PDB file of all heavy atoms in Angstrom:
ATOM      1  N   PHE A   1      57.628   8.637 -26.079  1.00 97.00           N
ATOM      2  CA  PHE A   1      58.784   8.399 -25.108  1.00 97.00           C
ATOM      3  C   PHE A   1      59.119   6.977 -25.080  1.00 97.00           C
ATOM      4  O   PHE A   1      58.246   6.093 -25.169  1.00 97.00           O
ATOM      5  CB  PHE A   1      58.421   8.892 -23.776  1.00 97.00           C
ATOM      6  CG  PHE A   1      58.160  10.479 -23.756  1.00 97.00           C
ATOM      7  CD1 PHE A   1      56.800  11.030 -24.025  1.00 97.00           C
ATOM      8  CD2 PHE A   1      59.291  11.281 -23.386  1.00 97.00           C
ATOM      9  CE1 PHE A   1      56.873  12.370 -23.964  1.00 97.00           C
ATOM     10  CE2 PHE A   1      59.128  12.624 -23.514  1.00 97.00           C
ATOM     11  CZ  PHE A   1      57.949  13.255 -23.639  1.00 97.00           C
ATOM     12  N   GLN A   2      60.285   6.542 -24.680  1.00 97.00           N
ATOM     13  CA  GLN A   2      60.736   5.238 -24.489  1.00 97.00           C
ATOM     14  C   GLN A   2      61.741   5.127 -23.351  1.00 97.00           C
ATOM     15  O   GLN A   2      62.389   6.023 -23.109  1.00 97.00           O
ATOM     16  CB  GLN A   2      61.496   4.690 -25.717  1.00 97.00           C
ATOM     17  CG  GLN A   2      60.661   4.535 -26.984  1.00 97.00           C
ATOM     18  CD  GLN A   2      61.352   3.934 -28.089  1.00 97.00           C
ATOM     19  OE1 GLN A   2      62.563   3.744 -28.024  1.00 97.00           O
ATOM     20  NE2 GLN A   2      60.737   3.925 -29.235  1.00 97.00           N
ATOM     21  N   VAL A   3      61.560   4.065 -22.536  1.00 97.00           N
ATOM     22  CA  VAL A   3      62.594   3.629 -21.459  1.00 97.00           C
ATOM     23  C   VAL A   3      62.851   2.173 -21.762  1.00 97.00           C
ATOM     24  O   VAL A   3      62.129   1.487 -22.218  1.00 97.00           O
ATOM     25  CB  VAL A   3      62.026   3.896 -20.085  1.00 97.00           C
ATOM     26  CG1 VAL A   3      61.777   5.459 -19.821  1.00 97.00           C
ATOM     27  CG2 VAL A   3      60.811   3.076 -19.796  1.00 97.00           C
ATOM     28  N   THR A   4      64.183   1.955 -21.370  1.00 97.00           N
ATOM     29  CA  THR A   4      64.666   0.520 -21.480  1.00 97.00           C
ATOM     30  C   THR A   4      65.395   0.119 -20.252  1.00 97.00           C
ATOM     31  O   THR A   4      66.177   0.787 -19.734  1.00 97.00           O
ATOM     32  CB  THR A   4      65.681   0.499 -22.683  1.00 97.00           C
ATOM     33  OG1 THR A   4      64.958   0.844 -23.914  1.00 97.00           O
ATOM     34  CG2 THR A   4      66.155  -0.966 -22.928  1.00 97.00           C
ATOM     35  N   ARG A   5      64.981  -1.188 -19.851  1.00 97.00           N
ATOM     36  CA  ARG A   5      65.619  -1.829 -18.690  1.00 97.00           C
ATOM     37  C   ARG A   5      66.495  -2.938 -19.184  1.00 97.00           C
ATOM     38  O   ARG A   5      65.955  -3.778 -20.012  1.00 97.00           O
ATOM     39  CB  ARG A   5      64.584  -2.368 -17.638  1.00 97.00           C
ATOM     40  CG  ARG A   5      65.112  -3.043 -16.442  1.00 97.00           C
ATOM     41  CD  ARG A   5      65.607  -2.034 -15.438  1.00 97.00           C
ATOM     42  NE  ARG A   5      66.380  -2.643 -14.512  1.00 97.00           N
ATOM     43  CZ  ARG A   5      66.588  -2.234 -13.264  1.00 97.00           C
ATOM     44  NH1 ARG A   5      65.906  -1.179 -12.945  1.00 97.00           N
ATOM     45  NH2 ARG A   5      67.308  -2.874 -12.372  1.00 97.00           N
ATOM     46  N   GLU A   6      67.680  -3.045 -18.684  1.00 97.00           N
ATOM     47  CA  GLU A   6      68.637  -4.126 -19.152  1.00 97.00           C
ATOM     48  C   GLU A   6      68.486  -5.158 -17.963  1.00 97.00           C
ATOM     49  O   GLU A   6      68.643  -4.894 -16.813  1.00 97.00           O
ATOM     50  CB  GLU A   6      69.986  -3.604 -19.302  1.00 97.00           C
ATOM     51  CG  GLU A   6      70.988  -4.556 -19.840  1.00 97.00           C
ATOM     52  CD  GLU A   6      72.302  -3.965 -20.263  1.00 97.00           C
ATOM     53  OE1 GLU A   6      72.309  -2.769 -20.689  1.00 97.00           O
ATOM     54  OE2 GLU A   6      73.411  -4.700 -20.055  1.00 97.00           O
ATOM     55  N   ILE A   7      68.383  -6.430 -18.262  1.00 97.00           N
ATOM     56  CA  ILE A   7      68.344  -7.521 -17.388  1.00 97.00           C
ATOM     57  C   ILE A   7      69.311  -8.579 -17.786  1.00 97.00           C
ATOM     58  O   ILE A   7      69.266  -9.038 -18.948  1.00 97.00           O
ATOM     59  CB  ILE A   7      66.914  -8.094 -17.223  1.00 97.00           C
ATOM     60  CG1 ILE A   7      65.827  -7.026 -16.913  1.00 97.00           C
ATOM     61  CG2 ILE A   7      66.872  -9.192 -16.305  1.00 97.00           C
ATOM     62  CD1 ILE A   7      64.524  -7.362 -16.941  1.00 97.00           C
ATOM     63  N   HIS A   8      70.104  -9.032 -16.853  1.00 97.00           N
ATOM     64  CA  HIS A   8      71.105 -10.164 -17.216  1.00 97.00           C
ATOM     65  C   HIS A   8      70.567 -11.506 -16.583  1.00 97.00           C
ATOM     66  O   HIS A   8      70.070 -11.403 -15.376  1.00 97.00           O
ATOM     67  CB  HIS A   8      72.529  -9.791 -16.739  1.00 97.00           C
ATOM     68  CG  HIS A   8      73.103  -8.664 -17.370  1.00 97.00           C
ATOM     69  ND1 HIS A   8      73.905  -8.741 -18.436  1.00 97.00           N
ATOM     70  CD2 HIS A   8      72.872  -7.284 -17.323  1.00 97.00           C
ATOM     71  CE1 HIS A   8      74.304  -7.561 -18.855  1.00 97.00           C
ATOM     72  NE2 HIS A   8      73.574  -6.583 -18.209  1.00 97.00           N
ATOM     73  N   PHE A   9      70.859 -12.592 -17.167  1.00 98.00           N
ATOM     74  CA  PHE A   9      70.388 -13.787 -16.605  1.00 98.00           C
ATOM     75  C   PHE A   9      71.353 -14.919 -17.312  1.00 98.00           C
ATOM     76  O   PHE A   9      71.777 -14.732 -18.345  1.00 98.00           O
ATOM     77  CB  PHE A   9      68.998 -14.137 -16.483  1.00 98.00           C
ATOM     78  CG  PHE A   9      68.275 -14.284 -17.825  1.00 98.00           C
ATOM     79  CD1 PHE A   9      68.089 -15.496 -18.464  1.00 98.00           C
ATOM     80  CD2 PHE A   9      68.182 -13.232 -18.716  1.00 98.00           C
ATOM     81  CE1 PHE A   9      67.351 -15.610 -19.665  1.00 98.00           C
ATOM     82  CE2 PHE A   9      67.523 -13.281 -19.874  1.00 98.00           C
ATOM     83  CZ  PHE A   9      67.188 -14.548 -20.332  1.00 98.00           C
ATOM     84  N   CYS A  10      71.499 -16.021 -16.617  1.00 98.00           N
ATOM     85  CA  CYS A  10      72.195 -17.277 -17.106  1.00 98.00           C
ATOM     86  C   CYS A  10      71.230 -18.434 -17.478  1.00 98.00           C
ATOM     87  O   CYS A  10      70.279 -18.558 -16.552  1.00 98.00           O
ATOM     88  CB  CYS A  10      73.213 -17.643 -16.198  1.00 98.00           C
ATOM     89  SG  CYS A  10      74.476 -16.458 -15.831  1.00 98.00           S
ATOM     90  N   TYR A  11      71.289 -19.036 -18.452  1.00 98.00           N
ATOM     91  CA  TYR A  11      70.480 -20.120 -18.810  1.00 98.00           C
ATOM     92  C   TYR A  11      71.214 -21.179 -19.684  1.00 98.00           C
ATOM     93  O   TYR A  11      72.142 -20.877 -20.344  1.00 98.00           O
ATOM     94  CB  TYR A  11      69.154 -19.565 -19.524  1.00 98.00           C
ATOM     95  CG  TYR A  11      69.392 -19.066 -20.948  1.00 98.00           C
ATOM     96  CD1 TYR A  11      69.191 -19.855 -22.063  1.00 98.00           C
ATOM     97  CD2 TYR A  11      69.760 -17.737 -21.014  1.00 98.00           C
ATOM     98  CE1 TYR A  11      69.323 -19.235 -23.281  1.00 98.00           C
ATOM     99  CE2 TYR A  11      69.955 -17.173 -22.272  1.00 98.00           C
ATOM    100  CZ  TYR A  11      69.768 -18.016 -23.411  1.00 98.00           C
ATOM    101  OH  TYR A  11      69.933 -17.535 -24.649  1.00 98.00           O
ATOM    102  N   GLY A  12      70.584 -22.365 -19.664  1.00 98.00           N
ATOM    103  CA  GLY A  12      71.071 -23.352 -20.643  1.00 98.00           C
ATOM    104  C   GLY A  12      69.978 -23.828 -21.564  1.00 98.00           C
ATOM    105  O   GLY A  12      68.660 -23.489 -21.238  1.00 98.00           O
ATOM    106  N   HIS A  13      70.220 -24.351 -22.621  1.00 98.00           N
ATOM    107  CA  HIS A  13      69.297 -24.684 -23.541  1.00 98.00           C
ATOM    108  C   HIS A  13      69.970 -25.634 -24.640  1.00 98.00           C
ATOM    109  O   HIS A  13      71.179 -25.853 -24.682  1.00 98.00           O
ATOM    110  CB  HIS A  13      68.595 -23.619 -24.329  1.00 98.00           C
ATOM    111  CG  HIS A  13      69.321 -22.890 -25.334  1.00 98.00           C
ATOM    112  ND1 HIS A  13      68.627 -22.185 -26.279  1.00 98.00           N
ATOM    113  CD2 HIS A  13      70.628 -22.784 -25.558  1.00 98.00           C
ATOM    114  CE1 HIS A  13      69.555 -21.630 -27.122  1.00 98.00           C
ATOM    115  NE2 HIS A  13      70.734 -21.869 -26.583  1.00 98.00           N
ATOM    116  N   ARG A  14      69.128 -26.179 -25.491  1.00 97.00           N
ATOM    117  CA  ARG A  14      69.596 -26.874 -26.837  1.00 97.00           C
ATOM    118  C   ARG A  14      68.431 -26.766 -27.778  1.00 97.00           C
ATOM    119  O   ARG A  14      67.225 -26.551 -27.409  1.00 97.00           O
ATOM    120  CB  ARG A  14      70.001 -28.191 -26.522  1.00 97.00           C
ATOM    121  CG  ARG A  14      68.964 -29.247 -26.358  1.00 97.00           C
ATOM    122  CD  ARG A  14      69.609 -30.626 -26.473  1.00 97.00           C
ATOM    123  NE  ARG A  14      68.743 -31.628 -26.198  1.00 97.00           N
ATOM    124  CZ  ARG A  14      68.959 -32.970 -26.218  1.00 97.00           C
ATOM    125  NH1 ARG A  14      70.238 -33.308 -26.425  1.00 97.00           N
ATOM    126  NH2 ARG A  14      68.052 -33.844 -25.816  1.00 97.00           N
ATOM    127  N   LEU A  15      68.701 -26.882 -29.046  1.00 98.00           N
ATOM    128  CA  LEU A  15      67.713 -26.776 -30.137  1.00 98.00           C
ATOM    129  C   LEU A  15      67.572 -28.167 -30.721  1.00 98.00           C
ATOM    130  O   LEU A  15      68.614 -28.825 -31.199  1.00 98.00           O
ATOM    131  CB  LEU A  15      68.144 -25.717 -31.220  1.00 98.00           C
ATOM    132  CG  LEU A  15      68.369 -24.419 -30.577  1.00 98.00           C
ATOM    133  CD1 LEU A  15      68.734 -23.435 -31.676  1.00 98.00           C
ATOM    134  CD2 LEU A  15      67.298 -23.879 -29.841  1.00 98.00           C
ATOM    135  N   LEU A  16      66.232 -28.582 -30.805  1.00 97.00           N
ATOM    136  CA  LEU A  16      65.959 -29.759 -31.521  1.00 97.00           C
ATOM    137  C   LEU A  16      65.791 -29.554 -32.954  1.00 97.00           C
ATOM    138  O   LEU A  16      65.484 -28.420 -33.333  1.00 97.00           O
ATOM    139  CB  LEU A  16      64.687 -30.391 -30.840  1.00 97.00           C
ATOM    140  CG  LEU A  16      64.676 -30.839 -29.400  1.00 97.00           C
ATOM    141  CD1 LEU A  16      63.341 -31.326 -29.008  1.00 97.00           C
ATOM    142  CD2 LEU A  16      65.821 -31.718 -29.093  1.00 97.00           C
ATOM    143  N   ASP A  17      65.935 -30.614 -33.833  1.00 96.00           N
ATOM    144  CA  ASP A  17      65.887 -30.536 -35.263  1.00 96.00           C
ATOM    145  C   ASP A  17      66.695 -29.425 -35.825  1.00 96.00           C
ATOM    146  O   ASP A  17      66.499 -28.711 -36.679  1.00 96.00           O
ATOM    147  CB  ASP A  17      64.423 -30.199 -35.614  1.00 96.00           C
ATOM    148  CG  ASP A  17      63.469 -31.189 -35.074  1.00 96.00           C
ATOM    149  OD1 ASP A  17      63.658 -32.405 -35.161  1.00 96.00           O
ATOM    150  OD2 ASP A  17      62.282 -30.629 -34.564  1.00 96.00           O
ATOM    151  N   TYR A  18      68.036 -29.349 -35.311  1.00 96.00           N
ATOM    152  CA  TYR A  18      68.946 -28.340 -35.633  1.00 96.00           C
ATOM    153  C   TYR A  18      70.453 -29.040 -35.792  1.00 96.00           C
ATOM    154  O   TYR A  18      70.703 -29.946 -34.987  1.00 96.00           O
ATOM    155  CB  TYR A  18      69.135 -27.350 -34.484  1.00 96.00           C
ATOM    156  CG  TYR A  18      70.148 -26.264 -34.735  1.00 96.00           C
ATOM    157  CD1 TYR A  18      69.733 -25.193 -35.553  1.00 96.00           C
ATOM    158  CD2 TYR A  18      71.461 -26.386 -34.107  1.00 96.00           C
ATOM    159  CE1 TYR A  18      70.825 -24.216 -35.745  1.00 96.00           C
ATOM    160  CE2 TYR A  18      72.318 -25.350 -34.471  1.00 96.00           C
ATOM    161  CZ  TYR A  18      72.046 -24.359 -35.263  1.00 96.00           C
ATOM    162  OH  TYR A  18      72.991 -23.337 -35.537  1.00 96.00           O
ATOM    163  N   ARG A  19      71.102 -28.685 -36.778  1.00 95.00           N
ATOM    164  CA  ARG A  19      72.487 -29.261 -37.038  1.00 95.00           C
ATOM    165  C   ARG A  19      73.408 -28.162 -36.617  1.00 95.00           C
ATOM    166  O   ARG A  19      73.324 -27.076 -37.101  1.00 95.00           O
ATOM    167  CB  ARG A  19      72.685 -29.607 -38.397  1.00 95.00           C
ATOM    168  CG  ARG A  19      71.793 -30.831 -38.860  1.00 95.00           C
ATOM    169  CD  ARG A  19      72.218 -31.151 -40.277  1.00 95.00           C
ATOM    170  NE  ARG A  19      71.361 -32.387 -40.588  1.00 95.00           N
ATOM    171  CZ  ARG A  19      71.578 -33.092 -41.739  1.00 95.00           C
ATOM    172  NH1 ARG A  19      72.685 -32.855 -42.401  1.00 95.00           N
ATOM    173  NH2 ARG A  19      70.905 -34.162 -42.031  1.00 95.00           N
ATOM    174  N   GLY A  20      74.268 -28.505 -35.722  1.00 93.00           N
ATOM    175  CA  GLY A  20      75.252 -27.626 -35.371  1.00 93.00           C
ATOM    176  C   GLY A  20      75.510 -27.605 -33.858  1.00 93.00           C
ATOM    177  O   GLY A  20      74.838 -28.446 -33.079  1.00 93.00           O
ATOM    178  N   LYS A  21      76.332 -26.641 -33.266  1.00 94.00           N
ATOM    179  CA  LYS A  21      76.671 -26.689 -31.908  1.00 94.00           C
ATOM    180  C   LYS A  21      75.563 -26.602 -30.915  1.00 94.00           C
ATOM    181  O   LYS A  21      75.393 -27.213 -29.853  1.00 94.00           O
ATOM    182  CB  LYS A  21      77.662 -25.610 -31.596  1.00 94.00           C
ATOM    183  CG  LYS A  21      79.099 -25.775 -32.152  1.00 94.00           C
ATOM    184  CD  LYS A  21      79.912 -24.592 -31.694  1.00 94.00           C
ATOM    185  CE  LYS A  21      81.281 -24.814 -32.409  1.00 94.00           C
ATOM    186  NZ  LYS A  21      82.164 -23.692 -32.007  1.00 94.00           N
ATOM    187  N   CYS A  22      74.360 -25.876 -31.384  1.00 94.00           N
ATOM    188  CA  CYS A  22      73.296 -25.595 -30.539  1.00 94.00           C
ATOM    189  C   CYS A  22      72.404 -26.816 -30.412  1.00 94.00           C
ATOM    190  O   CYS A  22      71.369 -26.777 -29.657  1.00 94.00           O
ATOM    191  CB  CYS A  22      72.543 -24.310 -30.967  1.00 94.00           C
ATOM    192  SG  CYS A  22      73.538 -22.802 -30.690  1.00 94.00           S
ATOM    193  N   ALA A  23      72.718 -27.864 -31.088  1.00 97.00           N
ATOM    194  CA  ALA A  23      71.975 -29.058 -30.907  1.00 97.00           C
ATOM    195  C   ALA A  23      72.306 -29.823 -29.659  1.00 97.00           C
ATOM    196  O   ALA A  23      71.586 -30.772 -29.087  1.00 97.00           O
ATOM    197  CB  ALA A  23      72.066 -30.060 -32.051  1.00 97.00           C
ATOM    198  N   HIS A  24      73.325 -29.312 -28.889  1.00 97.00           N
ATOM    199  CA  HIS A  24      73.886 -29.959 -27.730  1.00 97.00           C
ATOM    200  C   HIS A  24      73.554 -29.031 -26.473  1.00 97.00           C
ATOM    201  O   HIS A  24      73.438 -27.802 -26.630  1.00 97.00           O
ATOM    202  CB  HIS A  24      75.341 -30.230 -27.752  1.00 97.00           C
ATOM    203  CG  HIS A  24      75.724 -31.048 -28.981  1.00 97.00           C
ATOM    204  ND1 HIS A  24      75.460 -32.438 -29.055  1.00 97.00           N
ATOM    205  CD2 HIS A  24      76.297 -30.701 -30.070  1.00 97.00           C
ATOM    206  CE1 HIS A  24      75.906 -32.862 -30.163  1.00 97.00           C
ATOM    207  NE2 HIS A  24      76.445 -31.763 -30.978  1.00 97.00           N
ATOM    208  N   LEU A  25      73.308 -29.710 -25.432  1.00 97.00           N
ATOM    209  CA  LEU A  25      73.062 -28.857 -24.221  1.00 97.00           C
ATOM    210  C   LEU A  25      74.311 -27.874 -23.864  1.00 97.00           C
ATOM    211  O   LEU A  25      75.433 -28.354 -23.904  1.00 97.00           O
ATOM    212  CB  LEU A  25      72.961 -29.804 -22.916  1.00 97.00           C
ATOM    213  CG  LEU A  25      71.789 -30.665 -22.957  1.00 97.00           C
ATOM    214  CD1 LEU A  25      71.704 -31.765 -21.784  1.00 97.00           C
ATOM    215  CD2 LEU A  25      70.468 -29.882 -22.895  1.00 97.00           C
TER     216      LEU A  25
END
């Protein structure tokens, strides 16, 4: 059997050592 709960949240981040949009906050 399986059950799943969906959870929504907002967050900010950025990725180091990455080239592209996600390198920025």
Side-chain angles (χ1 to χ4, degrees):
F1 295 92
Q2 294 177 358
V3 295
T4 300
R5 177 78 193 208
E6 184 171 327
I7 300 169
H8 294 259
F9 64 105
C10 299
Y11 67 97
H13 74 156
R14 77 168 171 182
L15 305 179
L16 299 181
D17 305 318
Y18 179 83
R19 289 184 183 196
K21 291 180 181 181
C22 291
H24 305 287
L25 296 172

